[in-house]
Amino acid sequence: MSTNTVNVRGHGTSRQAVREATTEVQFEHVVLAAASIIHQLALSEIPEPEELRSSRPILDGYGLSYADLIRRLVARAGSALSASAEESLTVPARPPVASPEVEMAFEQSRGRVAQGASYPEVLEQLFAMPQARSAISALTADQL
């Protein structure tokens, strides 16, 4: 898959961080971006590349169904908003930057893409990292 189709260090991770009003892209944001890429393409009316279709079993295997993740995040956000209703919503003045761990993961992923690895292979390697596994566990903690 060409890096033009799916940029390993794409705006999806920054978008996830901005939604949380944070200044640093963490592994949770990377996992959310990976889980939402098919949805983002559909919203942009971009045809889904075959290689992304073959990554769905990987996401499903980790319990990262986009619809389920959104349901969980909305429920968590509702709890957080009701708990902090007096705090104002702030948006970072600068785009978020990748944490050193995330930057290292991006570098490894870019290297794998340059070697011809497919998106599912890169995704599997990314999800095998302890930091990604921790983020996945946090995102799917309420899953039965």
Side-chain angles (χ1 to χ4, degrees):
M1 166 175 272
S2 118
T3 54
N4 292 333
T5 306
V6 178
N7 186 341
V8 172
R9 187 182 174 177
H11 297 292
T13 55
S14 293
R15 185 179 307 120
Q16 297 300 335
V18 166
R19 286 179 179 149
E20 291 186 11
T22 184
T23 59
E24 191 172 68
V25 175
Q26 298 291 330
F27 269 90
E28 184 172 307
H29 304 123
V30 175
V31 171
L32 286 169
S36 69
I37 193 166
I38 295 167
H39 179 74
Q40 296 300 324
L41 288 172
L43 288 175
S44 300
E45 298 180 0
I46 298 172
E48 179 183 345
E50 179 61 36
E51 227 175 320
L52 282 182
R53 234 175 268 129
S54 62
S55 69
R56 285 184 184 194
I58 296 167
L59 295 169
D60 292 343
Y62 283 98
L64 296 173
S65 155
Y66 181 71
D68 289 342
L69 281 175
I70 292 303
R71 179 188 51 77
R72 283 187 203 97
L73 293 173
V74 167
R76 289 180 194 168
S79 298
L81 286 175
S82 62
S84 63
E86 297 170 12
E87 295 179 24
S88 64
L89 177 63
T90 59
V91 176
R94 291 178 293 161
V97 296
S99 70
E101 290 178 324
V102 169
E103 188 59 45
M104 181 190 69
F106 284 153
E107 285 299 321
Q108 288 177 354
S109 296
R110 278 194 292 275
R112 297 269 298 144
V113 168
Q115 294 171 355
S118 68
Y119 181 74
E121 291 170 330
V122 171
L123 192 60
E124 282 282 17
Q125 179 188 18
L126 177 69
F127 285 0
M129 298 177 112
Q131 303 92 327
R133 288 203 182 264
S134 177
I136 291 167
S137 292
L139 288 167
T140 59
D142 64 342
Q143 200 172 35
L144 297 176

